[in-house]
Amino acid sequence: MTHMEKAIVPRRGLRIDLALREKPFTFIGLGGAGLGLQSGTGPVAASLFALVVAVRVQISRI
């Protein structure tokens, strides 16, 4: 194998799974983001808050 072919071979590492939570968590995240926007928080911060609340993140080693 050439050096370039070795670089393309997948390697073992981390697996990150993103899954939506149940509906109440999604609504809580959206409500919290809406309150954040009303209080003057930037849209990026409010969107990140909604994402953290509404999505389940699982990190596992492969």
Side-chain angles (χ1 to χ4, degrees):
M1 277 185 170
T2 67
H3 174 66
M4 195 58 157
E5 289 173 344
K6 289 181 184 176
I8 298 174
V9 174
R11 298 170 199 260
R12 301 185 79 180
L14 293 178
R15 182 174 123 189
I16 301 173
D17 294 325
L18 300 174
L20 283 175
R21 292 184 185 260
E22 297 79 21
K23 286 197 186 220
F25 287 104
T26 304
F27 295 141
I28 291 169
L30 290 174
L35 288 174
L37 287 174
Q38 284 182 350
S39 67
T41 306
V44 173
S47 299
L48 287 176
F49 171 78
L51 180 71
V52 167
V53 172
V55 174
R56 179 182 308 131
V57 178
Q58 293 178 339
I59 300 174
S60 59
R61 188 165 220 155
I62 297 175

